[in-house]
């Protein structure tokens, strides 16, 4: 089969011929129907170096995948060949306390995982290929009726990651509350949809680009604010001076984190989802009282089931541009240039 492989750090991936995978006991091979291209793949290609993460190339890219069950290893029950499925992309040890809750991204025994702190497309072969080997059947989640693999693929990361970030703040988002989404890209626009679908909060979207703010409006944002020196003041004005109950930063740069703090309300949440590498100083006087600041990484398997349900019901619909496997590098090029519309999904 053909696969888009990262051969070494800081290089362009290459489309090459590799052997078809065969499932061992307990494993599943999925025929890929859609593989989302993620901004974090650019970090793998451009910035990562030996030691950045506990795994190394070569591997096939693609960590947000869906398709159909192609082959089942010995002992796998409850799945059937041809069944449409999504792949939960973080592959932990399966037995630690976090993995037992389905929170594999926070696996506490990573040395016992198929690859430490990674998954398919993150150290092991992912879905930018005709087939993907999934090392344990628990990571294969049946698609609900009404959701096809192309729509489902980005939900496994671009949907699941903002869903997890929003869900943890649900208690702070009753009617009358305000949520701010900073960065309306591949994840942020889905974050707006998830806030509208699962909370009664007013949603304010912030971005530097006019087209991103238009996308936010299409996704249901109640108000948009252009990122810049007056953004925090605009958000405070829009909230009667109180600030936003929840700020979700999908960029994570110094400037967006500073905006998040300046726009947040007391007892609020500032959740850092974007891996922009910025920092924010916390002292008694520098942040609103009882503001909780947290990073999140991906989401849990039960949450994936929930976000797929939202997708099947049309409540969460990532904006998608499809590319053939031959054109996958174009998808990344457009992402790098900032000209990509919504989420790129590779359809092998
Ligand atoms: Zn990703
Ligand atoms: Zn674990």
């Amino acid at each position: 089969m053909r696969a888009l492989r990262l051969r070494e750090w800081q290089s362009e991936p290459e489309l090459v011929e590799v052997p078809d995978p065969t499932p061992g006991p307990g494993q599943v091979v999925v025929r890929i129907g859609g593989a989302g291209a993620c901004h974090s793949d650019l970090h793998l290609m451009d910035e990562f170096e030996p030691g950045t993460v506990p795994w190394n190339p070569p591997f096939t890219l693609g960590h947000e995948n869906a398709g159909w069950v192609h082959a089942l290893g010995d002992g796998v029950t409850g799945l059937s060949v041809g069944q449409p499925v999504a792949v939960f992309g973080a592959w932990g040890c399966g037995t630690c306390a976090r993995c037992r809750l389905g929170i594999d991204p926070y696996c506490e025994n990573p040395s016992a995982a198929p690859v430490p702190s990674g998954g398919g497309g993150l150290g092991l072969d992912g879905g930018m290929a005709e087939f993907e080997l999934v090392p344990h059947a628990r990571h294969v989640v049946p698609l609900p009726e009404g959701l096809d693999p192309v729509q489902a693929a980005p939900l496994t990361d671009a949907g699941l990651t903002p869903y997890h970030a929003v869900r943890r703040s649900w208690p702070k988002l009753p009617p009358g509350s305000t949520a701010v989404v900073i960065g309306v890209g591949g994840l942020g626009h889905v974050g707006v949809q998830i806030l509208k679908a699962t909370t009664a909060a007013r949603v304010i979207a912030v971005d530097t680009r006019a087209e991103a703010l238009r996308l936010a409006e299409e996704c249901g944002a109640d108000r948009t604010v252009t990122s810049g020196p007056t953004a925090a003041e605009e958000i405070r004005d829009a909230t009667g001076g109180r600030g936003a109950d929840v700020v979700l930063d999908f960029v994570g740069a110094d400037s967006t984190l500073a905006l998040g703090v300046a726009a947040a309300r007391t007892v609020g949440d500032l959740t850092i989802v974007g891996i922009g590498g910025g920092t924010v100083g916390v002292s008694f006087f520098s942040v609103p009282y009882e503001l909780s600041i947290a990073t999140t990484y991906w989401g849990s398997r039960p949450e994936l089931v929930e976000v797929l349900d939202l997708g099947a019901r049309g409540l969460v619909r990532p904006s998608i541009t499809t590319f053939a496997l031959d054109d996958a590098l174009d998808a990344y090029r457009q992402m790098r240039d900032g000209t990509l519309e919504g989420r790129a999904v590779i359809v092998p």
Side-chain angles (χ1 to χ4, degrees):
M1 67 169 184
R2 294 182 318 146
L4 186 74
R5 289 179 69 78
L6 188 68
R7 300 283 193 88
E8 52 190 56
W9 295 127
Q10 295 173 18
S11 72
E12 282 270 288
E14 292 170 36
L15 196 56
V16 294
E17 194 69 31
V18 296
D20 286 5
T22 50
Q27 300 182 335
V28 179
V29 169
V30 173
R31 180 161 66 86
I32 295 297
C38 181
H39 209 269
S40 60
D41 294 330
L42 293 184
H43 293 280
L44 298 181
M45 297 173 203
D46 296 349
E47 290 148 35
F48 281 29
E49 54 189 18
T52 307
V53 286
W55 31 265
N56 287 297
F59 57 86
T60 301
L61 288 170
H63 57 266
E64 45 179 54
N65 307 307
W68 302 269
V69 172
H70 177 71
L72 299 171
D74 284 347
V76 177
T77 56
L79 293 167
S80 53
V81 172
Q83 184 177 7
V85 292
V87 179
F88 180 66
W91 298 340
C93 75
T95 54
C96 74
R98 293 287 178 262
C99 284
R100 285 188 189 283
L101 290 171
I103 316 172
D104 287 49
Y106 302 164
C107 175
E108 290 173 316
N109 191 11
S111 63
V115 65
S117 308
L122 299 165
L124 291 174
D125 291 342
M128 294 211 177
E130 290 161 68
F131 302 101
E132 181 185 20
L133 176 66
V134 181
H136 196 290
R138 76 178 188 279
H139 301 307
V140 176
V141 179
L143 292 189
E145 206 156 309
L147 193 62
D148 66 65
V150 170
Q151 281 288 337
L155 293 177
T156 65
D157 178 15
L160 178 57
T161 298
Y163 184 73
H164 176 76
V166 170
R167 197 186 198 287
R168 66 187 286 277
S169 292
W170 274 353
K172 296 187 180 180
L173 294 170
S177 65
T178 300
V180 168
V181 170
I182 303 177
V184 189
L187 271 67
H189 84 281
V190 186
V192 172
Q193 295 178 4
I194 290 166
L195 283 161
K196 296 304 290 186
T198 67
T199 79
R202 277 194 313 151
V203 178
I204 300 176
V206 182
D207 205 295
T208 52
R209 302 160 298 152
E211 66 273 20
L213 296 178
R214 267 197 303 277
L215 176 61
E217 278 169 7
E218 284 165 30
C219 291
D222 298 281
R223 188 185 174 122
T224 59
V225 169
T226 303
S227 192
T230 61
E233 204 180 304
E234 280 181 59
I235 293 166
R236 290 225 161 257
D237 286 349
T239 54
R242 293 186 297 268
D245 299 81
V246 173
V247 178
L248 302 163
D249 185 352
F250 289 97
V251 181
D254 286 338
S255 59
T256 57
L257 291 170
L259 170 61
V261 167
R265 187 179 185 180
T266 53
V267 201
D269 283 345
L270 168 57
T271 303
I272 305 167
V273 186
I275 55 174
T279 57
V280 59
V282 176
S283 75
F284 194 90
F285 299 104
S286 71
V287 298
Y289 294 124
E290 289 190 43
L291 175 68
S292 298
I293 301 179
T295 56
T296 61
Y297 175 55
W298 223 331
S300 72
R301 202 175 311 104
E303 288 169 338
L304 177 58
V305 174
E306 294 174 358
V307 84
L308 292 174
D309 183 73
L310 290 172
R313 292 161 63 203
L315 294 170
V316 172
R317 288 243 143 198
S319 160
I320 286 171
T321 304
T322 58
F323 293 81
L325 191 51
D326 284 311
D327 302 326
L329 287 177
D330 285 340
Y332 287 115
R333 229 166 269 136
Q334 290 183 22
M335 196 186 288
R336 206 173 257 131
D337 297 343
T339 57
L340 183 68
E341 286 267 336
R343 196 71 164 174
V345 176
I346 312 304
V347 182

